Amino acid sequence: MSSRLSVIFYIILCLEIGIVLTLLPWVPHGWMGLSDWGNNYFLLLAAHKTGYGLQRLVSSGWVRGAVSGVGLLNITMGIWELIHFRKTVRALDAGTASVESSPKPISQPEATNEAQPVRTDPLSDYPRRNR
């Protein structure tokens, strides 16, 4: 049950962050009490400390488009997880970290209490330069 809840919360988080990042940069000033993307308190404070070029950069359409692109990527991840919900839950229940698309982990030999041979760095035998 906890694996299902984890996947559900992850899907909700991806969709929520995606919607906010996609729409927030394009919200007009004063709409529903929100300020303009390039005219908020924290950006003005950072611009005052570093120079006002930062405010112009963040207000540009290029940065707004990039932030919206990251939002669309988050929405796509949420939809992908929603489509592959059962596969992800089965992978979490089985305790495996790999899914079909990722390579299978290499099995590690069991740990024993026997003495292991010492591995040395092959570069340590080279003479050091005197500085």
Side-chain angles (χ1 to χ4, degrees):
M1 185 67 178
S2 69
S3 60
R4 287 184 183 191
L5 285 175
S6 297
V7 174
I8 289 171
F9 286 139
Y10 179 71
I11 291 170
I12 291 171
L13 182 71
C14 283
L15 292 175
E16 185 177 356
I17 289 174
I19 290 170
V20 167
L21 287 178
T22 303
L23 299 178
L24 191 64
W26 306 104
V27 170
H29 181 70
W31 186 71
M32 291 185 60
L34 296 172
S35 66
D36 188 29
W37 174 260
N39 192 19
N40 64 54
Y41 175 75
F42 296 112
L43 181 60
L44 289 175
L45 184 67
H48 181 69
K49 299 269 185 191
T50 61
Y52 287 97
L54 177 68
Q55 183 181 9
R56 277 186 263 134
L57 176 74
V58 172
S59 299
S60 72
W62 292 96
V63 173
R64 289 180 185 207
V67 171
S68 293
V70 171
L72 290 174
L73 183 66
N74 271 298
I75 291 173
T76 306
M77 286 176 16
I79 291 172
W80 188 90
E81 285 293 334
L82 189 62
I83 292 170
H84 296 93
F85 179 77
R86 290 184 183 183
K87 186 189 301 184
T88 307
V89 169
R90 271 188 264 131
L92 284 174
D93 284 340
T96 60
S98 63
V99 200
E100 287 179 21
S101 62
S102 64
K104 304 273 185 206
I106 300 172
S107 61
Q108 298 288 335
E110 292 184 21
T112 60
N113 288 336
E114 298 175 11
Q116 299 291 327
V118 177
R119 295 182 186 177
T120 59
D121 183 19
L123 296 177
S124 64
D125 294 336
Y126 291 109
R128 295 186 182 192
R129 294 181 183 166
N130 293 332
R131 291 186 182 192

